[in-house]
Amino acid sequence: MLQGGEPLDRLADQELSARLASHTVVARATPADKRRIVRLLQGRGEIVAVTGDGINDAPALAAADVAITMGRRGTDLARQAAELILTDDAYPTVAAAIEGGRGIGSQLRRAVAFYLRAKLALVVAVGLSQALGLPSPFAPSTSCCWSCSWTSARRSHSSPNPPLPVPCSGRHAIRPDGSWTGPRWRPS
């Protein structure tokens, strides 16, 4: 555990950055400490999410990549600095939102991959026939039928499936129960 305020001010940025790699709790941090920590983590290439509900959290919320505040008990200043406001003031909502977003991303990747594979097959068939001097294998009506069948196949392929697991970098991840194992998250 790191102590905020004067003990944290005595640490150089490089030393603090190194300590942040192994310490995940900073006690009694001032608003300037919080903002400094956010900047140091961003300097290491981390994507930083900050949660807060008070005026003292506003500088760190404003500097963060993702700012999350409480809707009921959060101050107006904190709500203005945040991109995401938790209307139920419950932290598990953040983990559920991340898990839902990953599921949507997984479904989108599957649909795009299917569509590109299908179109690639069409391009190869037409390109190969043209290169060999053969007539096009697809008449306009055949192409229309193919397009309709691909659309139907894509719809069935895009039906709700369980999301593919998306690993987090580092030591943090979303557990199967939806809980979040750490304060830092990096998209894949």
Side-chain angles (χ1 to χ4, degrees):
M1 179 171 78
L2 295 172
Q3 186 70 29
E6 187 181 330
L8 202 63
D9 290 340
R10 288 191 299 249
L11 296 177
D13 284 350
Q14 292 173 346
E15 185 179 355
L16 178 57
S17 182
R19 287 195 182 185
L20 287 173
S22 61
H23 294 79
T24 57
V25 176
V26 180
R28 301 186 180 270
T30 65
D33 292 340
K34 295 174 188 179
R35 184 177 171 96
R36 180 179 174 206
I37 290 168
V38 168
R39 292 291 184 209
L40 287 173
L41 291 172
Q42 288 172 333
R44 290 191 335 207
E46 299 276 351
I47 294 175
V48 181
V50 173
T51 59
D53 60 358
I55 293 173
N56 62 329
D57 298 317
L61 289 168
D65 297 306
V66 180
I68 305 165
T69 191
M70 305 299 168
R72 292 183 190 154
R73 62 181 176 188
T75 63
D76 288 337
L77 184 60
R79 283 194 295 268
Q80 288 173 359
E83 287 92 19
L84 179 63
I85 299 172
L86 300 177
T87 57
D88 61 355
D89 286 5
Y91 284 111
T93 303
V94 176
I98 291 171
E99 187 174 14
R102 288 181 175 180
I104 291 169
S106 173
Q107 293 288 347
L108 187 59
R109 281 189 296 278
R110 286 179 186 170
V112 168
F114 175 81
Y115 185 75
L116 290 177
R117 284 192 302 266
K119 291 298 181 183
L120 179 64
L122 177 65
V123 168
V124 167
V126 171
L128 191 58
S129 68
Q130 293 296 317
L132 296 175
L134 301 172
S136 177
F138 302 112
S141 59
T142 308
S143 182
C144 183
C145 289
W146 272 102
S147 181
C148 290
S149 66
W150 283 335
T151 303
S152 298
R154 181 184 52 80
R155 282 191 186 132
S156 66
H157 186 72
S158 300
S159 64
N161 293 320
L164 295 172
V166 180
C168 285
S169 66
R171 61 186 183 271
H172 307 298
I174 293 179
R175 294 183 182 129
D177 66 355
S179 60
W180 194 14
T181 64
R184 288 173 247 152
W185 171 73
R186 180 185 216 91
S188 59

